[in-house]
Amino acid sequence: MERSRQAFERADREFSHPAAEPSLDELRSDLARAIGDFANQNFADKYGPLVGSVVENSAEQILREFEINGVKAKHEAEFVIRELMDRIIRGISK
């Protein structure tokens, strides 16, 4: 019973003071760092000690470009859907 009360109090404290959400830049950097660490651990013997930092920088750039392209694709898809809906509605109303 004591454990469940303590767990409830801890959950209540966590929900009353939520942690700040990380920004997209921080998340992108963390993921790129993890990819660079993985590359360094697995490929440093074969490709040299700089493989981790090169892969980290490349991964961050790729993720940034992927994000930008995703936003562009979303806007283009919204435009196409709006056009299709306008043409369908105009075709029905004729």
Side-chain angles (χ1 to χ4, degrees), residues 3 8 27 33 45 48-49 60 62 68 77 79-80 87 94:
R3 290 179 118 184
F8 178 76
L27 294 173
R33 191 174 310 112
D45 295 339
E60 189 161 356
I62 289 169
I68 291 169
F79 175 75
V80 168
R87 291 175 189 216
K94 285 185 180 181

Side-chain angles (χ1 to χ4, degrees), residues 58-78:
S58 299
E60 189 161 356
Q61 184 64 33
I62 289 169
L63 290 169
R64 187 177 295 118
E65 289 174 5
F66 182 74
E67 178 185 326
I68 291 169
N69 290 337
V71 170
K72 285 180 185 177
K74 177 186 170 206
H75 290 300
E76 290 173 1
E78 288 173 349

Side-chain angles (χ1 to χ4, degrees), residues 22-86:
S23 70
L24 192 57
D25 292 333
E26 292 171 343
L27 294 173
R28 186 185 321 113
S29 295
D30 287 347
L31 180 58
R33 191 174 310 112
I35 293 170
D37 289 344
F38 176 81
N40 195 35
Q41 290 172 1
N42 294 302
F43 302 113
D45 295 339
K46 187 173 183 179
Y47 297 107
L50 295 178
V51 71
S53 61
V54 171
V55 168
E56 180 179 339
N57 291 335
S58 299
E60 189 161 356
Q61 184 64 33
I62 289 169
L63 290 169
R64 187 177 295 118
E65 289 174 5
F66 182 74
E67 178 185 326
I68 291 169
N69 290 337
V71 170
K72 285 180 185 177
K74 177 186 170 206
H75 290 300
E76 290 173 1
E78 288 173 349
F79 175 75
V80 168
I81 290 170
R82 250 185 277 127
E83 284 294 317
L84 287 173
M85 293 302 292
D86 288 345

